[in-house]
Amino acid sequence: MTPKQLTPKQRALEILTRLKHLYPDAKCSLDYETPVQLLVATILSAQCTDERVNLVTPALFERFPNAEAIAAAPLETLEQLVRSTGFYRNKARNIQAACHKIVTEFRGEVPNSMEQLLTLPGVARKTSNVVLAHAYGINAGVTVDTHVKRLSYRLGLTQQTDPIKVERDLMKLLPQPDWENWSIRLIYHGRATCMARKPDCDCCKLADLCTSAGMAAAKPTKSKSPRPK
């Protein structure tokens, strides 16, 4: 049986093993010290690189280090501090509203359950998964960002394009303790080798397991599903 004849679950487990070997020290790329700082940084990372977020957050967290400070900050000041991350007005508004709810309903502490996190403004499953995994060590799901969605599709592990449906497919294929480190390592691989416009299939250590290797960059069709909350 050749690698491409393996079942999706068998291929997923072999891909996971290789990713662990390729990126043994992979970790969350966002800089933070507390759960609320991780929450804020993850909200800022939407449609923005982690590198840019890490340039912005030191000044932001120096002035407003916790949920109480962010909730009480002038909105215009927050907007200017996060301006370079894009969509800054919406991000600043959501960050402040989320921190206000954390202060008033969760005693200033970021909640550690998916159900409660999803009640915060600007927080969907992607952000919740990141916070739960890296702030609390809880693997509640698989973080699906643009890299994870794109590579999972190319690797033939899902035919879905909606992030929640992609996540469900991956949760069936991977052991729960590896849900988050799968995402982190796949993101590293997407940046290093499997780029969006020009994947380096000739140098890819996953090529023999990939249903799209050697083909033009596989592009999933645009999802018609409603955007998940």
Side-chain angles (χ1 to χ4, degrees), residues 71-128:
L75 181 58
E76 295 79 6
T77 301
L78 291 179
E79 289 177 350
Q80 290 308 308
L81 285 169
V82 305
R83 187 184 184 96
S84 65
T85 66
F87 304 99
Y88 66 95
R89 288 193 176 92
N90 190 52
K91 289 180 180 180
R93 185 168 57 250
N94 282 334
I95 286 168
Q96 185 164 65
C99 286
H100 182 266
K101 188 163 187 172
I102 288 170
V103 172
T104 58
E105 297 187 23
F106 299 107
R107 300 181 179 179
E109 299 293 332
V110 176
N112 62 356
S113 76
M114 177 67 72
E115 181 180 13
Q116 291 177 325
L117 279 167
L118 291 176
T119 68
L120 300 178
V123 175
R125 284 194 63 90
K126 172 194 164 185
T127 298
S128 297

Side-chain angles (χ1 to χ4, degrees), residues 114 124-126 129 139-144 148-149 152 158 160 162-174 179 183:
M114 177 67 72
R125 284 194 63 90
K126 172 194 164 185
N129 280 325
N139 286 305
V142 179
T143 300
V144 178
V148 174
K149 173 183 171 180
S152 296
T158 183
Q160 302 297 332
D162 178 84
I164 289 182
K165 293 180 180 179
V166 173
E167 181 183 5
R168 289 173 182 162
D169 284 348
L170 293 175
M171 289 168 69
K172 295 175 184 176
L173 298 176
L174 300 163
W179 283 350
S183 297

